[in-house]
Structures are given as C-alpha cells and as structure tokens.
Amino acid sequence: MNKPPSMVWLPADHRLLGDHGHQMPFLLLGDKYARAVKVGAQAQPVMFPLASADQIDELLALVDGVMLTGSPSNVHPSHFDEPVADPSLPLDAERDQLTLALVRACVQQGVPLLGICRGFQEINVALGGTLYQQVHNVPGRMDHREPKGQPPDVQYAPRHAIHLEPGSVFAQWAGGTEVQVNSLHGQGIHRLADGLRALARAPDGQIEAFEVLGARSFAYAVQFHPEWRCWENPFYSAIFEAFGRACRQRRNERLNPTPATLTA
C-alpha cells in the first residue's frame, strides 16, 4: 500500500483584489510556492483558509510541516516596536496574527519549518528579533529589491553571492561556502532573534539564512527565493529535498506513533 503524502501547511495572504472601485477580499497562495512543495519537497501543499491562532495546535496535528512563504506584504513594524516607515507599502495584519504564533508553535512542537523571504522575517520577529523596514536606506547596505517592471525570469535571476557558514547544512546543500542567489526584498533582518544563528550573509553583511538553534526538526529560513523553479537549481533543490525528508519523517511518526511519541 502506498503511503499517504506528507502534508505541508502554507498560510494564505489576505489581499483586496478587483477593479472599478469594487475590491473584494481574497485568500491567496502563489503557485511557485505550492509547486516547490509538490515537486521539490515531494509533499502535498495544503491551506486552511481563515485559520486563526487559537486553532494552531489542532491544525498542526494534521500536517507534517509548515512553509511560510514570501509575499508582497511586509510584517507590520508594530511587532518590533516601530512605526510604519512607508505607508504606501502593503501590510497583512491578519497573516501576522496567525504566522507569528504559528512560528512559536512549530518550534515548540518540533514541526518542520521552512521560511522564505517574508516567512524568514516572520520567524525572526516571532522569536524577538527586529527588521530594517528599508534595507536600501541603511548606510552600507545594498539595494536588495528586484528590478521593477521586468519579467519574472529577470527578477528571479541570480543577483549576488552569499557566503555560507563553513560546515553548515547550507554549505553542504550548496557544495561550498559561496553561491549565487536571487534577491527580491525591501525589508531585512536588523537584530537577529536570540535562539537563531546566521548561516549565510550577502556581501554587504545582510543576513540571508539562519537556523533555529536546538530545534527538534528541520527549522531553517532564507531571505532569497529558492522556490523559483527549484528543480532547475541544485542548491535550491537541496533545500527542498531536505525539508521534504523532514516532513516525511514527521508523517511516519504522526501516523505510526510509538509509546514515546504518544507521551511526549
């Protein structure tokens, strides 16, 4: 009998869409994220529309991993005690309310967790870190934003190298301590949360990847976008393959609990 697929929860974005002055609320998930989970991690992406923070425990019991995606919206700076620097940029308070609590629950329960771009920033903020709201305005920092108005192939093309911590899993996945990545973000990490360790940095020192120290399962996040055609990039593929292995291990434990896991 075939084993059921691993299930990976991808929280939705909340966005108003429409024209002619008639915008309606939508719950959205980018195809590239779902496809990377399906193809790269060999798992089934799932959504729980309108999930709330008080449902996290019961919903985590149904899944084998969580992936926090990127988004056009930013984490609201009130979560790290700052006013909004640019009111024209999109925010998503409903997503914040769910994902910041979800991060803490995943770490506490040992649920495999992968954060990408906004998800990377969410993990840092959820665990007590802070963000630069506009990295490009920080002295000594590069402009990490994508070229506006260009087609996706241009926007997601490699933009700069990152230096990977020697001996880290990222260096193993990349096959070395330097690799080229894309760059499509305006916000970035300012102060890294206690309990996180930086595993990659851009040439300007901006943190590009970290791990959750002492995590019971896969718990990594990246500022770049490995989901973009991950199957065409060996480094990106290796990230999703490792995430997929962790999710399958949790699936096996979830569906075939031992006495130890039942009492954990």
Side-chain angles (χ1 to χ4, degrees), residues 11-16 28 33 69-77 88-96 99 116-122 131 133 146 184-187 223 225:
D13 290 336
H14 299 76
R15 213 174 307 168
L16 294 173
L28 301 177
Y33 297 108
T69 68
S71 170
S73 69
N74 291 317
V75 177
H76 199 290
S88 71
L89 297 178
L91 299 166
D92 188 343
E94 289 179 275
R95 172 165 164 161
D96 292 342
T99 55
I116 295 174
C117 198
R118 189 195 210 273
F120 167 89
Q121 297 162 10
E122 286 169 331
L131 303 176
Q133 293 187 56
E146 69 276 17
L184 300 94
H185 63 102
Q187 292 197 329
Q223 181 60 84
H225 285 265

Side-chain angles (χ1 to χ4, degrees), residues 52 89 140 170 177 188 201 221-222 233 237:
S52 57
L89 297 178
F170 282 96
T177 56
R201 293 181 184 270
V222 297
N233 183 306
S237 290

Side-chain angles (χ1 to χ4, degrees), residues 14-221:
H14 299 76
R15 213 174 307 168
L16 294 173
L17 297 178
D19 50 22
H20 308 299
H22 299 291
Q23 289 192 317
M24 296 288 288
F26 279 76
L27 297 167
L28 301 177
L29 171 64
D31 178 280
K32 63 193 175 102
Y33 297 108
R35 200 167 296 276
V37 167
K38 184 83 170 180
V39 178
Q42 297 183 12
Q44 177 60 47
V46 298
M47 292 174 66
F48 297 113
L50 303 181
S52 57
D54 60 3
Q55 294 178 288
I56 286 174
D57 287 347
E58 62 191 83
L59 295 177
L60 279 182
L62 305 175
V63 301
D64 307 300
V66 168
M67 189 169 93
L68 301 175
T69 68
S71 170
S73 69
N74 291 317
V75 177
H76 199 290
S78 63
H79 294 292
F80 46 96
D81 298 323
E82 289 187 14
V84 175
D86 184 352
S88 71
L89 297 178
L91 299 166
D92 188 343
E94 289 179 275
R95 172 165 164 161
D96 292 342
Q97 187 177 26
L98 174 68
T99 55
L100 299 182
L102 181 57
V103 166
R104 294 186 284 267
C106 285
V107 173
Q108 202 170 44
Q109 298 181 31
V111 177
L113 175 65
L114 173 60
I116 295 174
C117 198
R118 189 195 210 273
F120 167 89
Q121 297 162 10
E122 286 169 331
I123 295 171
N124 186 54
V125 171
L127 299 180
T130 66
L131 303 176
Y132 291 125
Q133 293 187 56
Q134 298 172 312
V135 173
H136 48 284
N137 288 333
V138 177
R141 290 293 197 258
M142 302 158 41
D143 189 341
H144 288 257
R145 295 173 297 179
E146 69 276 17
K148 299 294 184 184
Q150 295 298 313
D153 283 352
V154 175
Q155 292 189 336
Y156 286 88
R159 289 279 305 285
H160 61 72
I162 57 174
H163 178 74
L164 308 170
E165 190 69 25
S168 68
V169 291
F170 282 96
Q172 295 171 27
W173 295 333
T177 56
E178 191 169 289
V179 67
Q180 292 283 326
V181 297
N182 51 37
S183 186
L184 300 94
H185 63 102
Q187 292 197 329
I189 287 180
H190 181 186
R191 184 179 63 78
L192 191 65
D194 294 340
L196 300 180
R197 182 169 78 107
L199 297 181
R201 293 181 184 270
D204 61 358
Q206 194 63 41
I207 296 172
E208 292 275 342
F210 60 67
E211 66 177 336
V212 178
L213 292 170
R216 289 157 47 196
S217 184
F218 185 108
Y220 300 97

